[in-house]
Amino acid sequence: MPAKQSSLNIDLLKRFARPGPRYTSYPPAPAFHAEYDARRLEVDLILNNDENAKPLSLYIHIPFCDTLCYFCGCTTFITKDRSQIRRYLNALKQEIAKWAWYVKKERRVEQIHWGGGTPSYLEPDEIRELAGFVKELFHVAPDAEFSVEIDPRGLRFEHLEAFKESGVNRLSLGVQDFDERVQRAVNRIQPESLTRDAMMWSRQLGIDQINIDLIYGLPLQNVETFGKTLQKIVELAPNRIAVFNFAYVPWMKPHQKLLHPEDLPSPEMKLQLLHSTIETLGRAGYEYIGMDHFARPDDELAIAQKAKTLHRNFQGYSTKAGADLYGFGLSSISHFGNVYAQNAKTLPLYLEAAERGQFATKLGYRMSKDDEIRKFVIMRLMCDLEVDKGEVERRFGIMFDEYFDRSLDMLQEFINEGLVQQSLSTIQVVGAGRYVLRNIALCFDAYTSTREQQKPLYSQTV
């Protein structure tokens, strides 16, 4: 859906500011529990390998970084000790090999993603070794999407050569903001020239599918300075741009206490930053995909959204809706069938399990039918900005309005404010409703409620 002009009523949208999930999964990760363990995972993996098994999407977590970014919400480990990285990679290979034993060789891997931390913190030979190991154990399709998250700081041309030789065809470059004052405030000094070099080298090597990641809501940001960053990003012409809402959650990420709360933009300023971003990127020809993603009209994400085949997972928006996700490494989450399984979140626990040849699963969840129904509705809202009631009824054998009577009561507030339109057959997010997409999805969430006080588990929706 192309970006459209929509009026910004800050007072209205501020009323919807509350904690809520980003819906990279449903149920959200806080619903996972320790009763789902490695033993249950093994049974489910066996059952997930029959003649009807789906293609695979592999996620590999590289948690290491050279320095700590104060805003970071990822699972990271700061080290300059290369022996620690070597030990982790050896354990990671043991885990990957154990999972591969449960996978038929003919199952195609259609997508690989390396996240972090900083995958580009690996040395070139380590990149080649890990990628080659995966290809020895799995049937990676020749046209598989292989994406890697890149930190331009410390990046060398040799890194990109190794990624290219390993089959990488998409890069996500972390930028966050070009403004020097903002960079100093979040302890991420990254001159603009580093990002330009990374893009130039990538294109020289033929890796021309490039995403750039930005964050709004960081300390000292305002519309004028962030607008300059946006204009520079537009000049670089990436295929996709992700502009994430900064999740300030110091109760979950204690290092965020190193930020100065008084420097954070006000709720009004954050809304203005978001509105300005959508307008700027829309004028530059990027289409608004969903909550935080923009893409060129000819990009796979934009095409998938028009075809209503877009998917959302732990990496954000994806075109691989029909694949089972197997996650490897510290804190990684797998999702296949009706199962979620998450690895240990601390490095000692992960290494202990992997080095013993055990699954590192410490948390998980098995979905009920109600979970699957609600997940489908929420994901269609997040991906398509609309829900076809008839499709839900045919797929799950329910009467939509009857099944979701309480949800529709909660949705009425958004309808009254002109943020949602409902007919006998559809529910559509309209106008400024995109700014409160998470709140709208909350109406269909059985684990949270827009009218209940929440524990501090999530970032603010607005």
Side-chain angles (χ1 to χ4, degrees), residues 112-261:
I112 302 173
H113 183 81
W114 290 12
T118 308
S120 55
Y121 194 37
L122 299 181
E123 290 296 335
D125 286 346
E126 293 171 333
I127 292 168
R128 294 185 181 93
E129 181 183 344
L130 180 58
F133 184 80
V134 171
K135 290 181 178 181
E136 287 178 5
L137 295 177
F138 291 93
H139 172 45
V140 179
D143 59 347
E145 179 184 87
F146 188 170
S147 59
V148 175
E149 296 174 14
I150 297 288
D151 184 345
R153 300 173 302 165
L155 183 73
R156 307 193 306 271
F157 186 76
E158 291 77 15
H159 286 110
L160 293 173
E161 282 185 314
F163 283 128
K164 174 65 176 179
E165 291 170 16
S166 299
V168 170
N169 48 33
R170 181 177 292 278
L171 301 177
S172 289
L173 302 180
V175 173
Q176 324 319 334
D177 196 323
F178 280 139
D179 186 83
E180 293 182 9
R181 292 175 67 244
V182 175
Q183 291 183 0
R184 287 194 296 271
V186 301
N187 197 41
R188 186 186 176 99
I189 307 303
Q190 183 177 322
E192 183 182 336
S193 60
L194 297 183
T195 302
R196 292 187 178 276
D197 285 346
M199 295 197 71
M200 178 183 67
W201 293 339
S202 300
R203 287 167 171 162
Q204 284 178 0
L205 290 167
I207 308 176
D208 53 7
Q209 298 298 307
I210 301 175
N211 312 346
I212 284 185
D213 295 340
L214 305 174
I215 297 178
Y216 74 94
L218 294 176
L220 305 178
Q221 283 182 329
N222 59 53
V223 171
E224 180 182 359
T225 59
F226 196 60
K228 292 178 180 178
T229 290
L230 290 171
Q231 290 297 338
K232 292 175 180 178
I233 295 300
V234 167
E235 292 172 9
L236 293 173
N239 305 79
R240 301 174 187 173
I241 303 172
V243 190
F244 298 104
N245 179 357
F246 172 49
Y248 183 58
V249 287
W251 56 89
M252 295 177 63
K253 299 294 179 180
H255 62 262
Q256 290 187 353
K257 295 177 183 177
L258 295 169
L259 299 171
H260 298 294

Side-chain angles (χ1 to χ4, degrees), residues 30-56:
F32 299 174
H33 52 75
E35 293 179 11
Y36 190 94
D37 56 14
R39 179 180 57 83
R40 295 190 178 187
L41 172 67
E42 183 173 23
V43 172
D44 287 330
L45 277 178
I46 293 171
L47 296 175
N48 192 50
N49 201 38
D50 60 15
E51 63 275 8
N52 298 315
K54 296 179 179 179
L56 292 174

